[in-house]
């Protein structure tokens, strides 16, 4: 079980590929360990990613009709609600320029096909751990900022009651 959200719930991974065999292979590797959603094109991927409960990670093919993976990634990273979802490109495009383009668009990793199941699983696990750590730190930071603001108001109220002049005056 993955304790990504502090509960014994499975992380959700969105697999995006227009080739049914690739979807089946990757889904089979991930099922039972993670909750898997699939999309056969970019539009469906964007819709799933924008849902009330977005995926924790996206495995994204580059070469797809209508909207390629680069454009899907570009759109995901342009919207606050999906910006922090880690994207791993899983593609047959092994060119260094393609990899650089994917990473520049905001992907966190790039895996070339044919995939090694061990490498895919290790990278998925690593990125989910990184995301869980980032989410924890973001939540902790928000909590601490709230605490500081609350304490600042308390101190300000005490100073006002005691008749102290603030530095701003």
């Amino acid at each position: 079980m993955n304790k990504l959200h502090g509960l014994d719930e499975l992380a959700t991974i969105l697999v995006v590929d227009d080739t049914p065999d690739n979807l089946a292979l990757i889904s089979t590797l991930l099922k039972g360990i993670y909750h898997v959603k699939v999309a056969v094109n970019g539009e469906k991927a964007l819709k799933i990613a924008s849902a009330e409960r977005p995926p924790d990670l996206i495995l994204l093919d580059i070469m797809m009709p209508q909207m390629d993976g680069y454009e899907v990634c570009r759109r995901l990273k342009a919207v606050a609600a999906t910006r922090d979802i880690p994207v791993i490109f899983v593609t047959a495009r092994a060119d260094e320029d393609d990899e650089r383009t994917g990473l520049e668009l905001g992907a966190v990793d790039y895996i070339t096909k044919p995939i090694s199941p061990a490498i895919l699983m290790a990278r998925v696990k690593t990125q989910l751990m990184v995301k869980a750590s980032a989410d924890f730190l973001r939540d902790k930071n928000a909590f601490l900022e709230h605490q500081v603001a609350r304490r600042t108001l308390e101190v300000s109220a005490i100073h006002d009651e005691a008749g102290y002049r603030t530095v701003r005056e």
Side-chain angles (χ1 to χ4, degrees):
M1 294 270 174
N2 187 332
K3 296 191 179 202
L4 186 65
H5 303 288
L7 304 170
D8 285 335
E9 66 181 70
L10 300 179
T12 300
I13 299 176
L14 172 58
V15 182
V16 186
D17 199 309
D18 63 321
T19 306
D21 289 344
N22 292 337
L23 283 175
L25 172 68
I26 295 172
S27 295
T28 300
L29 288 171
L30 299 170
K31 281 188 177 167
I33 303 169
Y34 305 107
H35 179 71
V36 179
K37 294 183 179 184
V38 297
V40 295
N41 61 49
E43 287 295 331
K44 187 172 181 184
L46 292 171
K47 183 177 180 181
I48 292 170
S50 299
E52 183 177 325
R53 176 74 169 82
D56 299 297
L57 180 104
I58 299 174
L59 298 174
L60 179 60
D61 186 27
I62 292 175
M63 297 183 293
M64 297 184 293
Q66 286 88 43
M67 183 186 312
D68 68 15
Y70 291 144
E71 182 59 24
V72 174
C73 188
R74 193 176 288 114
R75 291 184 186 192
L76 289 167
K77 299 305 176 183
V79 177
T82 57
R83 182 174 297 133
D84 293 332
I85 302 171
V87 173
I88 298 175
F89 280 114
V90 181
T91 181
R93 296 178 81 156
D95 184 75
E96 188 177 311
D97 289 337
D98 291 323
E99 184 173 349
R100 182 175 34 257
T101 298
L103 295 173
E104 286 173 353
L105 288 171
V108 295
D109 207 342
Y110 192 100
I111 301 171
T112 55
K113 297 175 187 174
I115 62 166
S116 159
I119 289 174
L120 177 75
M121 297 305 287
R123 291 185 179 177
V124 164
K125 182 179 178 181
T126 298
Q127 290 305 323
L128 287 172
M129 288 177 13
V130 168
K131 182 180 186 312
S133 296
D135 289 347
F136 172 80
L137 290 173
R138 186 180 52 250
D139 292 347
K140 190 68 164 174
N141 187 57
F143 171 77
L144 291 172
E145 286 178 349
H146 174 75
Q147 291 293 93
V148 167
R150 188 175 62 81
R151 301 269 185 192
T152 300
L153 287 174
E154 289 173 0
V155 168
S156 180
I158 291 169
H159 281 185
D160 288 347
E161 287 177 19
Y164 290 128
R165 299 178 77 187
T166 62
V167 175
R168 289 177 280 168
E169 293 178 352

mmCIF file of all heavy atoms in Angstrom, residues 11-17 23 26-27 30 35-42 44-50 54-61 72 76 85-86 88:
data_model
loop_
_atom_site.group_PDB
_atom_site.id
_atom_site.type_symbol
_atom_site.label_atom_id
_atom_site.label_comp_id
_atom_site.label_asym_id
_atom_site.label_seq_id
_atom_site.Cartn_x
_atom_site.Cartn_y
_atom_site.Cartn_z
ATOM 1 N N ALA A 11 -2.063 5.114 -4.787
ATOM 2 C CA ALA A 11 -1.853 6.284 -5.630
ATOM 3 C C ALA A 11 -2.526 6.023 -6.973
ATOM 4 O O ALA A 11 -2.634 4.877 -7.424
ATOM 5 C CB ALA A 11 -0.364 6.526 -5.826
ATOM 6 N N THR A 12 -2.981 7.076 -7.615
ATOM 7 C CA THR A 12 -3.629 6.956 -8.920
ATOM 8 C C THR A 12 -2.660 7.382 -10.005
ATOM 9 O O THR A 12 -2.080 8.474 -9.935
ATOM 10 C CB THR A 12 -4.898 7.834 -8.985
ATOM 11 O OG1 THR A 12 -5.800 7.392 -7.965
ATOM 12 C CG2 THR A 12 -5.567 7.732 -10.346
ATOM 13 N N ILE A 13 -2.494 6.522 -10.993
ATOM 14 C CA ILE A 13 -1.623 6.803 -12.116
ATOM 15 C C ILE A 13 -2.455 6.829 -13.385
ATOM 16 O O ILE A 13 -3.224 5.896 -13.647
ATOM 17 C CB ILE A 13 -0.493 5.767 -12.230
ATOM 18 C CG1 ILE A 13 0.349 5.800 -10.958
ATOM 19 C CG2 ILE A 13 0.359 6.026 -13.476
ATOM 20 C CD1 ILE A 13 1.436 4.775 -10.897
ATOM 21 N N LEU A 14 -2.304 7.884 -14.158
ATOM 22 C CA LEU A 14 -2.960 8.006 -15.454
ATOM 23 C C LEU A 14 -1.963 7.594 -16.525
ATOM 24 O O LEU A 14 -0.877 8.166 -16.618
ATOM 25 C CB LEU A 14 -3.435 9.442 -15.680
ATOM 26 C CG LEU A 14 -3.979 9.781 -17.071
ATOM 27 C CD1 LEU A 14 -5.167 8.894 -17.444
ATOM 28 C CD2 LEU A 14 -4.347 11.260 -17.132
ATOM 29 N N VAL A 15 -2.337 6.599 -17.320
ATOM 30 C CA VAL A 15 -1.504 6.130 -18.428
ATOM 31 C C VAL A 15 -2.147 6.626 -19.717
ATOM 32 O O VAL A 15 -3.317 6.344 -19.982
ATOM 33 C CB VAL A 15 -1.404 4.585 -18.442
ATOM 34 C CG1 VAL A 15 -0.499 4.125 -19.574
ATOM 35 C CG2 VAL A 15 -0.909 4.062 -17.098
ATOM 36 N N VAL A 16 -1.368 7.371 -20.513
ATOM 37 C CA VAL A 16 -1.889 7.969 -21.739
ATOM 38 C C VAL A 16 -1.100 7.437 -22.927
ATOM 39 O O VAL A 16 0.107 7.682 -23.039
ATOM 40 C CB VAL A 16 -1.783 9.511 -21.705
ATOM 41 C CG1 VAL A 16 -2.465 10.123 -22.927
ATOM 42 C CG2 VAL A 16 -2.339 10.073 -20.407
ATOM 43 N N ASP A 17 -1.786 6.712 -23.796
ATOM 44 C CA ASP A 17 -1.148 6.145 -24.990
ATOM 45 C C ASP A 17 -2.245 5.782 -25.977
ATOM 46 O O ASP A 17 -3.293 5.279 -25.570
ATOM 47 C CB ASP A 17 -0.327 4.903 -24.623
ATOM 48 C CG ASP A 17 0.716 4.535 -25.663
ATOM 49 O OD1 ASP A 17 0.344 4.432 -26.863
ATOM 50 O OD2 ASP A 17 1.873 4.343 -25.294
ATOM 51 N N LEU A 23 -1.025 0.432 -23.590
ATOM 52 C CA LEU A 23 -1.887 0.682 -22.424
ATOM 53 C C LEU A 23 -2.036 -0.585 -21.586
ATOM 54 O O LEU A 23 -1.941 -0.537 -20.357
ATOM 55 C CB LEU A 23 -3.269 1.167 -22.867
ATOM 56 C CG LEU A 23 -3.392 2.614 -23.308
ATOM 57 C CD1 LEU A 23 -4.802 2.882 -23.814
ATOM 58 C CD2 LEU A 23 -3.040 3.565 -22.190
ATOM 59 N N ILE A 26 1.433 -1.534 -19.721
ATOM 60 C CA ILE A 26 1.751 -0.658 -18.586
ATOM 61 C C ILE A 26 0.703 -0.809 -17.481
ATOM 62 O O ILE A 26 1.046 -0.880 -16.295
ATOM 63 C CB ILE A 26 1.904 0.806 -19.051
ATOM 64 C CG1 ILE A 26 3.117 0.921 -19.977
ATOM 65 C CG2 ILE A 26 2.043 1.738 -17.850
ATOM 66 C CD1 ILE A 26 3.265 2.268 -20.654
ATOM 67 N N SER A 27 -0.559 -0.883 -17.862
ATOM 68 C CA SER A 27 -1.620 -1.048 -16.860
ATOM 69 C C SER A 27 -1.447 -2.336 -16.080
ATOM 70 O O SER A 27 -1.635 -2.366 -14.858
ATOM 71 C CB SER A 27 -2.992 -1.033 -17.538
ATOM 72 O OG SER A 27 -3.246 0.218 -18.104
ATOM 73 N N LEU A 30 1.181 -2.003 -13.415
ATOM 74 C CA LEU A 30 0.841 -1.103 -12.312
ATOM 75 C C LEU A 30 -0.326 -1.566 -11.450
ATOM 76 O O LEU A 30 -0.383 -1.256 -10.253
ATOM 77 C CB LEU A 30 0.515 0.283 -12.861
ATOM 78 C CG LEU A 30 1.635 0.993 -13.623
ATOM 79 C CD1 LEU A 30 1.101 2.238 -14.311
ATOM 80 C CD2 LEU A 30 2.787 1.325 -12.705
ATOM 81 N N HIS A 35 -3.737 2.476 -8.347
ATOM 82 C CA HIS A 35 -5.005 2.606 -9.056
ATOM 83 C C HIS A 35 -4.655 3.182 -10.432
ATOM 84 O O HIS A 35 -3.949 4.185 -10.515
ATOM 85 C CB HIS A 35 -5.949 3.539 -8.292
ATOM 86 C CG HIS A 35 -7.250 3.745 -8.970
ATOM 87 N ND1 HIS A 35 -8.207 2.756 -9.043
ATOM 88 C CD2 HIS A 35 -7.742 4.805 -9.634
ATOM 89 C CE1 HIS A 35 -9.239 3.219 -9.719
ATOM 90 N NE2 HIS A 35 -8.977 4.456 -10.085
ATOM 91 N N VAL A 36 -5.132 2.561 -11.489
ATOM 92 C CA VAL A 36 -4.749 2.951 -12.843
ATOM 93 C C VAL A 36 -5.952 3.477 -13.615
ATOM 94 O O VAL A 36 -7.013 2.852 -13.635
ATOM 95 C CB VAL A 36 -4.127 1.755 -13.611
ATOM 96 C CG1 VAL A 36 -3.752 2.157 -15.033
ATOM 97 C CG2 VAL A 36 -2.919 1.211 -12.873
ATOM 98 N N LYS A 37 -5.755 4.631 -14.235
ATOM 99 C CA LYS A 37 -6.730 5.182 -15.181
ATOM 100 C C LYS A 37 -6.023 5.252 -16.522
ATOM 101 O O LYS A 37 -4.809 5.444 -16.575
ATOM 102 C CB LYS A 37 -7.183 6.582 -14.758
ATOM 103 C CG LYS A 37 -7.970 6.584 -13.467
ATOM 104 C CD LYS A 37 -8.466 7.976 -13.135
ATOM 105 C CE LYS A 37 -9.278 7.939 -11.844
ATOM 106 N NZ LYS A 37 -9.856 9.236 -11.527
ATOM 107 N N VAL A 38 -6.784 5.102 -17.601
ATOM 108 C CA VAL A 38 -6.181 5.152 -18.932
ATOM 109 C C VAL A 38 -6.888 6.178 -19.808
ATOM 110 O O VAL A 38 -8.075 6.457 -19.631
ATOM 111 C CB VAL A 38 -6.196 3.769 -19.628
ATOM 112 C CG1 VAL A 38 -5.364 2.767 -18.860
ATOM 113 C CG2 VAL A 38 -7.605 3.250 -19.829
ATOM 114 N N ALA A 39 -6.116 6.728 -20.736
ATOM 115 C CA ALA A 39 -6.647 7.644 -21.738
ATOM 116 C C ALA A 39 -5.986 7.303 -23.067
ATOM 117 O O ALA A 39 -4.782 7.058 -23.115
ATOM 118 C CB ALA A 39 -6.359 9.093 -21.354
ATOM 119 N N VAL A 40 -6.787 7.294 -24.120
ATOM 120 C CA VAL A 40 -6.267 6.937 -25.444
ATOM 121 C C VAL A 40 -5.901 8.151 -26.289
ATOM 122 O O VAL A 40 -5.432 8.012 -27.408
ATOM 123 C CB VAL A 40 -7.268 6.046 -26.217
ATOM 124 C CG1 VAL A 40 -7.451 4.709 -25.513
ATOM 125 C CG2 VAL A 40 -8.607 6.761 -26.392
ATOM 126 N N ASN A 41 -6.101 9.352 -25.720
ATOM 127 C CA ASN A 41 -5.717 10.568 -26.445
ATOM 128 C C ASN A 41 -5.517 11.721 -25.462
ATOM 129 O O ASN A 41 -5.850 11.614 -24.276
ATOM 130 C CB ASN A 41 -6.759 10.919 -27.525
ATOM 131 C CG ASN A 41 -8.131 11.180 -26.938
ATOM 132 O OD1 ASN A 41 -8.291 11.944 -25.976
ATOM 133 N ND2 ASN A 41 -9.154 10.543 -27.504
ATOM 134 N N GLY A 42 -4.986 12.813 -25.994
ATOM 135 C CA GLY A 42 -4.665 13.965 -25.158
ATOM 136 C C GLY A 42 -5.868 14.632 -24.534
ATOM 137 O O GLY A 42 -5.824 15.047 -23.368
ATOM 138 N N LYS A 44 -8.780 13.319 -23.672
ATOM 139 C CA LYS A 44 -9.272 12.514 -22.547
ATOM 140 C C LYS A 44 -8.319 12.621 -21.354
ATOM 141 O O LYS A 44 -8.748 12.706 -20.210
ATOM 142 C CB LYS A 44 -9.444 11.060 -22.973
ATOM 143 C CG LYS A 44 -10.098 10.217 -21.911
ATOM 144 C CD LYS A 44 -10.448 8.826 -22.406
ATOM 145 C CE LYS A 44 -11.119 8.048 -21.275
ATOM 146 N NZ LYS A 44 -11.399 6.668 -21.627
ATOM 147 N N ALA A 45 -7.028 12.658 -21.630
ATOM 148 C CA ALA A 45 -6.038 12.787 -20.551
ATOM 149 C C ALA A 45 -6.227 14.091 -19.790
ATOM 150 O O ALA A 45 -6.202 14.105 -18.545
ATOM 151 C CB ALA A 45 -4.630 12.705 -21.125
ATOM 152 N N LEU A 46 -6.424 15.177 -20.512
ATOM 153 C CA LEU A 46 -6.623 16.476 -19.863
ATOM 154 C C LEU A 46 -7.895 16.485 -19.024
ATOM 155 O O LEU A 46 -7.924 17.059 -17.929
ATOM 156 C CB LEU A 46 -6.653 17.588 -20.904
ATOM 157 C CG LEU A 46 -5.326 17.857 -21.602
ATOM 158 C CD1 LEU A 46 -5.518 18.823 -22.767
ATOM 159 C CD2 LEU A 46 -4.285 18.382 -20.626
ATOM 160 N N LYS A 47 -8.925 15.832 -19.520
ATOM 161 C CA LYS A 47 -10.190 15.767 -18.777
ATOM 162 C C LYS A 47 -10.009 14.973 -17.483
ATOM 163 O O LYS A 47 -10.452 15.405 -16.414
ATOM 164 C CB LYS A 47 -11.276 15.126 -19.643
ATOM 165 C CG LYS A 47 -12.624 15.091 -18.989
ATOM 166 C CD LYS A 47 -13.675 14.516 -19.919
ATOM 167 C CE LYS A 47 -15.028 14.505 -19.208
ATOM 168 N NZ LYS A 47 -16.082 13.932 -20.036
ATOM 169 N N ILE A 48 -9.340 13.826 -17.553
ATOM 170 C CA ILE A 48 -9.110 13.011 -16.357
ATOM 171 C C ILE A 48 -8.215 13.757 -15.363
ATOM 172 O O ILE A 48 -8.469 13.758 -14.162
ATOM 173 C CB ILE A 48 -8.505 11.643 -16.737
ATOM 174 C CG1 ILE A 48 -9.531 10.806 -17.508
ATOM 175 C CG2 ILE A 48 -8.024 10.896 -15.496
ATOM 176 C CD1 ILE A 48 -8.964 9.545 -18.129
ATOM 177 N N ALA A 49 -7.176 14.412 -15.867
ATOM 178 C CA ALA A 49 -6.243 15.135 -14.997
ATOM 179 C C ALA A 49 -6.913 16.313 -14.296
ATOM 180 O O ALA A 49 -6.509 16.690 -13.197
ATOM 181 C CB ALA A 49 -5.037 15.610 -15.805
ATOM 182 N N SER A 50 -7.940 16.873 -14.926
ATOM 183 C CA SER A 50 -8.629 18.038 -14.359
ATOM 184 C C SER A 50 -9.792 17.660 -13.461
ATOM 185 O O SER A 50 -10.496 18.542 -12.960
ATOM 186 C CB SER A 50 -9.144 18.930 -15.496
ATOM 187 O OG SER A 50 -8.056 19.386 -16.262
ATOM 188 N N PRO A 54 -7.543 14.494 -9.105
ATOM 189 C CA PRO A 54 -6.593 14.264 -10.201
ATOM 190 C C PRO A 54 -5.636 13.109 -9.901
ATOM 191 O O PRO A 54 -5.468 12.728 -8.743
ATOM 192 C CB PRO A 54 -5.827 15.584 -10.303
ATOM 193 C CG PRO A 54 -5.976 16.208 -8.975
ATOM 194 C CD PRO A 54 -7.279 15.735 -8.396
ATOM 195 N N PRO A 55 -5.023 12.570 -10.932
ATOM 196 C CA PRO A 55 -4.056 11.491 -10.699
ATOM 197 C C PRO A 55 -2.833 12.016 -9.950
ATOM 198 O O PRO A 55 -2.541 13.210 -9.963
ATOM 199 C CB PRO A 55 -3.685 11.031 -12.114
ATOM 200 C CG PRO A 55 -3.972 12.206 -12.981
ATOM 201 C CD PRO A 55 -5.128 12.922 -12.347
ATOM 202 N N ASP A 56 -2.120 11.097 -9.324
ATOM 203 C CA ASP A 56 -0.909 11.455 -8.597
ATOM 204 C C ASP A 56 0.298 11.505 -9.517
ATOM 205 O O ASP A 56 1.310 12.129 -9.176
ATOM 206 C CB ASP A 56 -0.663 10.438 -7.475
ATOM 207 C CG ASP A 56 -1.806 10.433 -6.484
ATOM 208 O OD1 ASP A 56 -2.033 11.471 -5.846
ATOM 209 O OD2 ASP A 56 -2.492 9.398 -6.370
ATOM 210 N N LEU A 57 0.191 10.853 -10.681
ATOM 211 C CA LEU A 57 1.297 10.783 -11.626
ATOM 212 C C LEU A 57 0.719 10.467 -12.999
ATOM 213 O O LEU A 57 -0.298 9.773 -13.093
ATOM 214 C CB LEU A 57 2.266 9.678 -11.210
ATOM 215 C CG LEU A 57 3.477 9.478 -12.114
ATOM 216 C CD1 LEU A 57 4.712 10.067 -11.450
ATOM 217 C CD2 LEU A 57 3.707 8.017 -12.379
ATOM 218 N N ILE A 58 1.360 10.973 -14.046
ATOM 219 C CA ILE A 58 0.913 10.697 -15.414
ATOM 220 C C ILE A 58 2.065 10.096 -16.204
ATOM 221 O O ILE A 58 3.166 10.648 -16.226
ATOM 222 C CB ILE A 58 0.409 11.980 -16.105
ATOM 223 C CG1 ILE A 58 -0.787 12.558 -15.341
ATOM 224 C CG2 ILE A 58 0.044 11.693 -17.568
ATOM 225 C CD1 ILE A 58 -1.266 13.907 -15.848
ATOM 226 N N LEU A 59 1.800 8.949 -16.839
ATOM 227 C CA LEU A 59 2.726 8.339 -17.794
ATOM 228 C C LEU A 59 2.182 8.688 -19.172
ATOM 229 O O LEU A 59 1.067 8.298 -19.522
ATOM 230 C CB LEU A 59 2.786 6.816 -17.595
ATOM 231 C CG LEU A 59 3.286 6.364 -16.231
ATOM 232 C CD1 LEU A 59 3.170 4.848 -16.099
ATOM 233 C CD2 LEU A 59 4.718 6.795 -15.996
ATOM 234 N N LEU A 60 2.964 9.419 -19.953
ATOM 235 C CA LEU A 60 2.451 10.060 -21.155
ATOM 236 C C LEU A 60 3.276 9.724 -22.389
ATOM 237 O O LEU A 60 4.488 9.963 -22.419
ATOM 238 C CB LEU A 60 2.446 11.579 -20.916
ATOM 239 C CG LEU A 60 1.970 12.513 -22.006
ATOM 240 C CD1 LEU A 60 0.521 12.228 -22.395
ATOM 241 C CD2 LEU A 60 2.116 13.967 -21.536
ATOM 242 N N ASP A 61 2.603 9.188 -23.405
ATOM 243 C CA ASP A 61 3.245 8.942 -24.696
ATOM 244 C C ASP A 61 3.372 10.276 -25.429
ATOM 245 O O ASP A 61 2.575 11.191 -25.210
ATOM 246 C CB ASP A 61 2.392 7.961 -25.508
ATOM 247 C CG ASP A 61 3.054 7.529 -26.807
ATOM 248 O OD1 ASP A 61 4.303 7.527 -26.887
ATOM 249 O OD2 ASP A 61 2.318 7.178 -27.748
ATOM 250 N N VAL A 72 0.021 18.029 -24.552
ATOM 251 C CA VAL A 72 -0.685 17.638 -23.328
ATOM 252 C C VAL A 72 0.097 18.129 -22.109
ATOM 253 O O VAL A 72 -0.463 18.758 -21.209
ATOM 254 C CB VAL A 72 -0.892 16.110 -23.258
ATOM 255 C CG1 VAL A 72 -1.487 15.706 -21.915
ATOM 256 C CG2 VAL A 72 -1.778 15.626 -24.406
ATOM 257 N N LEU A 76 -1.027 20.817 -19.274
ATOM 258 C CA LEU A 76 -1.069 20.438 -17.856
ATOM 259 C C LEU A 76 -0.286 21.426 -17.004
ATOM 260 O O LEU A 76 -0.731 21.826 -15.921
ATOM 261 C CB LEU A 76 -0.493 19.033 -17.660
ATOM 262 C CG LEU A 76 -1.322 17.864 -18.164
ATOM 263 C CD1 LEU A 76 -0.482 16.591 -18.196
ATOM 264 C CD2 LEU A 76 -2.566 17.672 -17.307
ATOM 265 N N ILE A 85 1.262 17.866 -10.978
ATOM 266 C CA ILE A 85 1.197 16.431 -11.243
ATOM 267 C C ILE A 85 2.465 16.036 -11.998
ATOM 268 O O ILE A 85 2.733 16.560 -13.074
ATOM 269 C CB ILE A 85 -0.044 16.049 -12.086
ATOM 270 C CG1 ILE A 85 -1.334 16.465 -11.398
ATOM 271 C CG2 ILE A 85 -0.030 14.537 -12.376
ATOM 272 C CD1 ILE A 85 -2.569 16.301 -12.269
ATOM 273 N N PRO A 86 3.251 15.123 -11.451
ATOM 274 C CA PRO A 86 4.457 14.702 -12.169
ATOM 275 C C PRO A 86 4.098 13.966 -13.464
ATOM 276 O O PRO A 86 3.185 13.141 -13.484
ATOM 277 C CB PRO A 86 5.161 13.750 -11.199
ATOM 278 C CG PRO A 86 4.448 13.852 -9.910
ATOM 279 C CD PRO A 86 3.111 14.473 -10.158
ATOM 280 N N ILE A 88 5.777 11.666 -16.544
ATOM 281 C CA ILE A 88 6.889 10.890 -17.077
ATOM 282 C C ILE A 88 6.537 10.539 -18.506
ATOM 283 O O ILE A 88 5.516 9.888 -18.758
ATOM 284 C CB ILE A 88 7.135 9.596 -16.268
ATOM 285 C CG1 ILE A 88 7.502 9.902 -14.822
ATOM 286 C CG2 ILE A 88 8.227 8.748 -16.947
ATOM 287 C CD1 ILE A 88 7.643 8.663 -13.936
#
